[in-house]
Short mmCIF file of all heavy atoms in Angstrom, two decimals:
data_model
loop_
_atom_site.label_atom_id
_atom_site.label_comp_id
_atom_site.label_asym_id
_atom_site.label_seq_id
_atom_site.Cartn_x
_atom_site.Cartn_y
_atom_site.Cartn_z
N ASP A 172 11.28 -10.84 7.46
CA ASP A 172 12.72 -10.35 7.56
C ASP A 172 13.03 -9.05 6.97
O ASP A 172 14.12 -8.31 7.14
CB ASP A 172 13.71 -11.34 7.21
CG ASP A 172 13.58 -11.84 5.80
OD1 ASP A 172 12.46 -11.82 5.22
OD2 ASP A 172 14.53 -12.34 5.12
N LYS A 173 12.21 -8.74 5.84
CA LYS A 173 12.43 -7.43 5.12
C LYS A 173 11.29 -6.48 5.45
O LYS A 173 10.90 -5.59 4.57
CB LYS A 173 12.57 -7.72 3.63
CG LYS A 173 13.76 -8.53 3.20
CD LYS A 173 15.00 -7.61 3.31
CE LYS A 173 16.32 -8.37 3.04
NZ LYS A 173 17.49 -7.69 3.42
N LEU A 174 10.62 -6.71 6.58
CA LEU A 174 9.44 -5.82 7.05
C LEU A 174 8.40 -5.85 5.94
O LEU A 174 7.86 -4.89 5.74
CB LEU A 174 10.05 -4.33 7.35
CG LEU A 174 11.17 -4.21 8.51
CD1 LEU A 174 11.35 -2.85 8.80
CD2 LEU A 174 10.71 -5.08 9.81
N ALA A 176 8.58 -5.76 2.82
CA ALA A 176 8.82 -4.83 1.68
C ALA A 176 8.18 -5.45 0.45
O ALA A 176 8.34 -6.66 0.22
CB ALA A 176 10.16 -4.42 1.59
N LYS A 209 5.57 -6.17 13.56
CA LYS A 209 6.52 -4.99 13.35
C LYS A 209 6.01 -4.18 12.11
O LYS A 209 6.24 -2.98 12.06
CB LYS A 209 8.03 -5.36 13.23
CG LYS A 209 8.91 -4.21 13.40
CD LYS A 209 10.40 -4.54 13.34
CE LYS A 209 11.17 -3.31 13.33
NZ LYS A 209 12.58 -3.57 13.34
N ALA A 213 6.93 -1.97 4.89
CA ALA A 213 7.81 -1.00 5.00
C ALA A 213 8.20 -0.22 3.63
O ALA A 213 9.19 0.38 3.52
CB ALA A 213 9.03 -1.30 5.78
N GLY A 214 7.37 -0.58 2.54
CA GLY A 214 7.52 0.21 1.35
C GLY A 214 7.83 -0.67 0.17
O GLY A 214 7.75 -1.98 0.42
N ALA A 215 7.96 -0.14 -0.97
CA ALA A 215 8.39 -0.87 -2.10
C ALA A 215 9.86 -1.36 -1.68
O ALA A 215 10.46 -0.67 -0.80
CB ALA A 215 8.35 0.00 -3.22
N ASP A 216 10.48 -2.35 -2.35
CA ASP A 216 11.69 -2.90 -1.96
C ASP A 216 12.76 -2.01 -2.47
O ASP A 216 13.02 -1.92 -3.82
CB ASP A 216 11.90 -4.41 -2.60
CG ASP A 216 13.09 -4.98 -1.85
OD1 ASP A 216 14.13 -4.40 -1.89
OD2 ASP A 216 12.90 -6.20 -1.47
N ILE A 217 13.47 -1.37 -1.64
CA ILE A 217 14.40 -0.16 -1.98
C ILE A 217 15.64 -0.85 -2.75
O ILE A 217 16.19 -0.27 -3.64
CB ILE A 217 14.96 0.52 -0.72
CG1 ILE A 217 13.73 1.23 -0.04
CG2 ILE A 217 16.00 1.56 -1.09
CD1 ILE A 217 14.04 1.84 1.24
N SER A 218 15.93 -2.06 -2.52
CA SER A 218 16.97 -2.72 -3.36
C SER A 218 16.63 -2.83 -4.80
O SER A 218 17.57 -2.72 -5.81
CB SER A 218 17.38 -4.12 -2.73
OG SER A 218 16.34 -4.95 -2.93
N ILE A 220 14.22 -0.60 -6.02
CA ILE A 220 14.08 0.83 -6.61
C ILE A 220 15.34 1.44 -6.99
O ILE A 220 15.47 2.25 -8.00
CB ILE A 220 13.32 1.69 -5.56
CG1 ILE A 220 11.91 1.23 -5.36
CG2 ILE A 220 13.57 3.04 -5.73
CD1 ILE A 220 11.15 2.13 -4.42
N PHE A 256 4.65 -0.76 10.76
CA PHE A 256 4.94 0.25 9.80
C PHE A 256 4.10 0.05 8.49
O PHE A 256 3.92 -1.07 7.98
CB PHE A 256 6.43 0.08 9.34
CG PHE A 256 7.48 0.46 10.42
CD1 PHE A 256 8.22 -0.52 11.11
CD2 PHE A 256 7.49 1.86 10.87
CE1 PHE A 256 9.05 -0.22 12.02
CE2 PHE A 256 8.37 2.14 11.80
CZ PHE A 256 9.26 1.19 12.36
N LEU A 258 4.67 2.12 5.37
CA LEU A 258 5.40 3.23 4.85
C LEU A 258 5.52 3.12 3.19
O LEU A 258 5.51 1.94 2.78
CB LEU A 258 6.89 3.18 5.46
CG LEU A 258 6.93 3.35 6.91
CD1 LEU A 258 8.37 3.12 7.38
CD2 LEU A 258 6.39 4.71 7.40
N GLY A 259 5.58 4.32 2.66
CA GLY A 259 5.82 4.37 1.19
C GLY A 259 4.75 3.58 0.50
O GLY A 259 3.55 3.52 0.67
N PRO A 282 7.74 8.29 3.09
CA PRO A 282 9.14 8.80 3.33
C PRO A 282 9.97 8.78 1.95
O PRO A 282 11.27 8.94 2.08
CB PRO A 282 9.69 7.95 4.33
CG PRO A 282 9.11 6.61 3.95
CD PRO A 282 7.61 6.88 3.45
N GLU A 283 9.36 8.76 0.85
CA GLU A 283 10.15 8.63 -0.39
C GLU A 283 10.99 9.90 -0.61
O GLU A 283 12.14 9.77 -1.15
CB GLU A 283 9.22 8.75 -1.62
CG GLU A 283 8.55 7.23 -1.79
CD GLU A 283 7.10 7.15 -1.03
OE1 GLU A 283 6.80 8.03 -0.09
OE2 GLU A 283 6.47 6.17 -1.20
N LEU A 286 14.57 9.36 0.05
CA LEU A 286 15.26 8.56 -1.02
C LEU A 286 15.54 9.54 -2.26
O LEU A 286 16.16 8.87 -3.26
CB LEU A 286 14.65 7.40 -1.39
CG LEU A 286 14.24 6.28 -0.16
CD1 LEU A 286 13.23 5.32 -0.74
CD2 LEU A 286 15.60 5.71 0.24
N MET A 316 6.56 10.39 9.84
CA MET A 316 5.72 9.24 10.19
C MET A 316 4.77 9.82 11.24
O MET A 316 5.02 10.42 12.12
CB MET A 316 6.53 8.08 10.75
CG MET A 316 7.13 7.08 9.81
SD MET A 316 7.84 5.84 10.95
CE MET A 316 9.50 5.88 10.39
N PHE A 398 20.46 4.57 1.92
CA PHE A 398 19.56 3.63 2.68
C PHE A 398 20.22 2.36 2.72
O PHE A 398 20.38 1.72 3.83
CB PHE A 398 18.17 3.54 2.18
CG PHE A 398 17.33 2.50 3.00
CD1 PHE A 398 16.63 2.97 4.09
CD2 PHE A 398 17.18 1.22 2.55
CE1 PHE A 398 15.94 2.06 4.76
CE2 PHE A 398 16.53 0.33 3.31
CZ PHE A 398 15.96 0.63 4.40
N LYS A 401 23.04 2.08 4.92
CA LYS A 401 22.79 2.45 6.34
C LYS A 401 23.39 3.70 6.76
O LYS A 401 23.99 3.76 7.86
CB LYS A 401 22.96 1.21 7.32
CG LYS A 401 22.25 -0.09 6.83
CD LYS A 401 22.36 -1.15 7.93
CE LYS A 401 21.86 -2.54 7.52
NZ LYS A 401 20.44 -2.61 7.30
N1 COA B 728 13.00 -2.12 1.14
C1 COA B 728 13.88 -3.08 1.24
N2 COA B 728 14.34 -3.52 2.47
C2 COA B 728 13.79 -2.99 3.47
C3 COA B 728 12.88 -2.05 3.47
C4 COA B 728 12.38 -1.51 2.14
N3 COA B 728 11.52 -0.63 1.98
N4 COA B 728 12.43 -1.58 4.70
C5 COA B 728 13.17 -2.29 5.54
N5 COA B 728 14.02 -3.12 4.80
C6 COA B 728 14.84 -4.20 5.44
C7 COA B 728 16.20 -3.62 5.90
O1 COA B 728 17.12 -3.17 4.89
C8 COA B 728 16.63 -4.61 6.89
O2 COA B 728 17.27 -5.69 6.18
P1 COA B 728 18.68 -6.44 6.60
O3 COA B 728 18.22 -6.94 8.00
O4 COA B 728 18.84 -7.44 5.56
O5 COA B 728 19.64 -5.29 6.77
C9 COA B 728 15.33 -5.16 7.43
O6 COA B 728 14.35 -4.91 6.46
C10 COA B 728 14.94 -4.63 8.75
O7 COA B 728 14.93 -3.11 8.62
P2 COA B 728 15.65 -2.19 9.61
O8 COA B 728 15.96 -0.87 8.83
O9 COA B 728 16.92 -2.90 10.21
O10 COA B 728 14.54 -1.94 10.76
P3 COA B 728 14.58 -0.79 11.74
O11 COA B 728 13.64 -1.17 12.75
O12 COA B 728 15.91 -0.28 12.17
O13 COA B 728 13.88 0.37 10.86
C11 COA B 728 12.25 1.34 9.30
C12 COA B 728 12.52 0.28 10.31
C13 COA B 728 10.80 1.05 8.75
C14 COA B 728 12.25 2.80 9.97
C15 COA B 728 13.35 1.19 8.23
O14 COA B 728 13.47 -0.03 7.75
C16 COA B 728 12.98 2.01 7.07
O15 COA B 728 13.17 3.28 7.02
N6 COA B 728 12.59 1.42 5.88
C17 COA B 728 12.37 2.12 4.61
C18 COA B 728 11.10 2.84 4.62
C19 COA B 728 10.99 3.53 3.34
O16 COA B 728 11.77 4.47 3.00
N7 COA B 728 10.01 3.12 2.52
C20 COA B 728 9.67 3.68 1.28
C21 COA B 728 10.33 2.98 0.14
S1 COA B 728 9.84 3.67 -1.43
#
Side-chain angles (χ1 to χ4, degrees):
D172 59 329
K173 293 290 174 194
L174 302 188
K209 195 171 168 184
D216 193 313
I217 297 172
S218 63
I220 290 189
F256 294 112
L258 302 175
E283 287 86 351
L286 303 169
M316 271 188 239
F398 178 84
K401 301 187 191 290

